[in-house]
Amino acid sequence: MTLDELFNAHRSQLGENDLYIWNYITAHRRECAALSIEALGRRCNVSRTTILRFAHKLGLHGFSELKVLLRMEDKQQHALPDYIEQTCAVYTDMIADIRAKDCTALFRRIDEAENLYVFSSGMLQDAVARELCRAFLSCGKWFYTIHAGTEADVLLHNVTERDLVIILSVSGESPQVLQLARALRVRSIPAVSITRRRDNTLAQLCPMRLYVGTVEMEMNALGTQYQSTTSFFILVELLFLKYMAYRNGGDHETGRPDRAELP
């Protein structure tokens, strides 16, 4: 897992000092990769023990492992911009991650849910949502597609703890997306985030989270800004195939999807 993924997973366990340390590290990643634990403590005005405790809260064995992750990420970010190689490497890593990921808890939620929803708030997310619906419909799982605005309001008036909501977002920071995620969390509604592999608020709000790998192309290289997004579609297809393997692995009470129209 990357540092951003670890932060998203353990955000609720971090205190004020931990967040201050995290903010300093994220703003000075390359510099912190070369600092000793004592030097970083002085930069953050905290003790050596506090830095070590911060690393442990992220699920790391110690400060040295934190530095290793920083160095690996710095090496990847400062490599020459061979975008073909970078994109292929990102897709390869993401495929390996999702292939190895234990999705049993998510698949059980899908099988047990009375209603399944997928929320999207942009052109890319809408396309991914349609592909997710198409794939899972072939095995009898019906996802309602929900868009930002009045549809999200209708969703909040009808969704219950017995349902499941998948939220698609590239950055995980869209105000409409976060508003929905916070409302679902208050109501204890099961939610799954699908975002790029970065520190983001949406992933921190959802009890279940999936990540995709993306490559951001520099404007001076292409004359425009571009971010690879094919990984969202790869994730959906692999998720569906893993679900089918899960279904074929034994008897599961899947029930019948509730296709009642929302008021």
Side-chain angles (χ1 to χ4, degrees):
M1 295 179 71
T2 66
L3 276 178
D4 292 282
E5 287 180 89
L6 291 173
F7 177 79
N8 289 335
H10 299 282
R11 169 64 179 81
S12 61
Q13 304 170 23
L14 303 181
E16 185 176 348
N17 283 340
D18 300 316
L19 295 178
Y20 183 82
I21 295 169
W22 171 257
N23 289 333
Y24 184 86
I25 289 176
T26 54
H28 309 86
R29 291 186 182 232
R30 192 173 194 182
E31 184 180 354
C32 289
L35 294 177
S36 66
I37 188 171
E38 292 81 6
L40 179 58
R42 289 193 295 270
R43 299 288 180 90
C44 298
N45 295 314
V46 297
S47 67
R48 180 183 187 278
T49 303
T50 301
I51 298 291
L52 186 59
R53 190 180 301 117
F54 166 74
H56 289 160
K57 287 182 179 180
L58 290 182
L60 302 173
H61 294 297
F63 181 69
S64 59
E65 190 174 357
L66 175 65
K67 290 180 63 175
V68 168
L69 290 177
L70 285 171
R71 288 169 181 164
M72 290 174 59
E73 293 177 9
D74 178 70
K75 183 178 180 180
Q76 294 172 355
Q77 292 175 1
H78 289 84
L80 292 176
D82 184 341
Y83 291 125
I84 294 177
E85 285 299 321
Q86 288 184 23
T87 303
C88 289
V90 164
Y91 292 165
T92 300
D93 290 344
M94 192 207 74
I95 290 171
D97 286 346
I98 190 62
R99 185 177 185 180
K101 185 176 179 62
D102 183 359
C103 297
T104 303
L106 171 58
F107 294 155
R108 284 177 180 166
R109 283 286 189 181
I110 291 176
D111 279 349
E112 295 169 359
E114 290 186 359
N115 296 287
L116 298 165
Y117 302 95
V118 55
F119 177 84
S120 59
S121 62
M123 291 180 61
L124 167 67
Q125 295 91 323
D126 290 346
V128 176
R130 288 195 298 270
E131 179 59 21
L132 186 147
C133 292
R134 184 197 67 81
F136 278 87
L137 184 60
S138 65
C139 63
K141 289 299 177 182
W142 180 284
F143 278 84
Y144 294 102
T145 56
I146 306 296
H147 303 280
T150 56
E151 290 188 21
D153 295 333
V154 172
L155 170 66
L156 291 175
H157 281 93
N158 289 271
V159 71
T160 73
E161 296 178 7
R162 299 184 299 276
D163 300 328
L164 178 68
V165 182
I166 295 178
I167 305 177
L168 298 168
S169 176
V170 178
S171 68
E173 300 295 345
S174 168
Q176 294 173 319
V177 165
L178 297 183
Q179 182 179 5
L180 174 66
R182 291 189 175 102
L184 293 174
R185 185 172 184 177
V186 169
R187 293 165 171 78
S188 299
I189 307 299
V192 184
S193 67
I194 299 181
T195 66
R196 64 181 177 178
R197 197 185 303 271
R198 290 284 180 86
D199 162 18
N200 70 84
T201 307
L202 176 60
Q204 297 161 25
L205 290 171
C206 295
M208 292 177 283
R209 54 190 75 89
L210 296 169
Y211 295 101
V212 300
T214 61
V215 177
E216 297 179 6
M217 315 294 182
E218 297 179 4
M219 294 182 65
N220 59 0
L222 297 176
T224 185
Q225 190 173 12
Y226 179 79
Q227 182 173 214
S228 64
T229 54
T230 303
S231 50
F232 279 89
F233 297 94
I234 296 175
L235 173 64
V236 166
E237 184 167 40
L238 290 180
L239 194 65
F240 168 71
L241 293 175
K242 284 175 71 73
Y243 176 72
M244 292 302 297
Y246 163 82
R247 288 279 298 272
N248 293 332
D251 294 328
H252 304 281
E253 294 294 331
T254 59
R256 294 179 61 84
D258 180 1
R259 294 182 175 83
E261 292 295 329
L262 293 176

